[in-house]
Amino acid sequence: MSKRVVITAGAAGIGRAMATAFAATGARVWVTDVDEAALGAVTQGVRASRVDTADEDAMSKFMSEVREVWGGIDALCANAGIKGPTAAIEDMPLDGWRDCLAVNLDGAFLAAKHAAPMMKAQRSGAMIFTSSTAGLYGYPFRSPYAAAK
């Protein structure tokens, strides 16, 4: 049976490349994204759902759907991320800081939280978290992104 792979923010960029690569190996791939236009252009044969990964109710419902349709998940690629605001720390708006951390950190946490029970039940699975060199070195005026990565 082919592997079941979920990729958050999988409709464009790195996520789309992952989806294409997994699909090429014969895996069943299901991507989430908030970009409706990008979701409409996902690779043929890849399932797509609009899900805000920072919204726990939305992520819980989505993972319940994955369980109902596929019966489990073999790999989670927690890829959702945003760059956040660009500003000196003293000029950083708190809501911009929080939005960046909500997508980049809470989104990865919620995806893992709701995928883990399926993986535990089947006694297998892998989780992949997309990061950035910004988490190692930081970037000027990008403190929320660097903190999240």
Side-chain angles (χ1 to χ4, degrees), residues 2 21 38 43 54 74 77-78 97 102-103 106 115 117 120 127 142-143:
S2 60
T43 305
D74 298 301
C77 299
W97 171 273
V103 174
D106 297 349
K120 284 183 173 184
M127 294 185 186
R142 303 305 302 276
S143 56

Side-chain angles (χ1 to χ4, degrees), residues 13 17 36-37 41 52 63-64 66 68 75 79 82-83 85 90 100 138-139:
E36 294 282 349
D52 177 353
M63 288 296 185
S64 291
V66 169
E68 289 173 24
N79 177 63
I82 60 172
K83 66 181 183 172
E90 64 271 20
C100 185
Y139 295 135

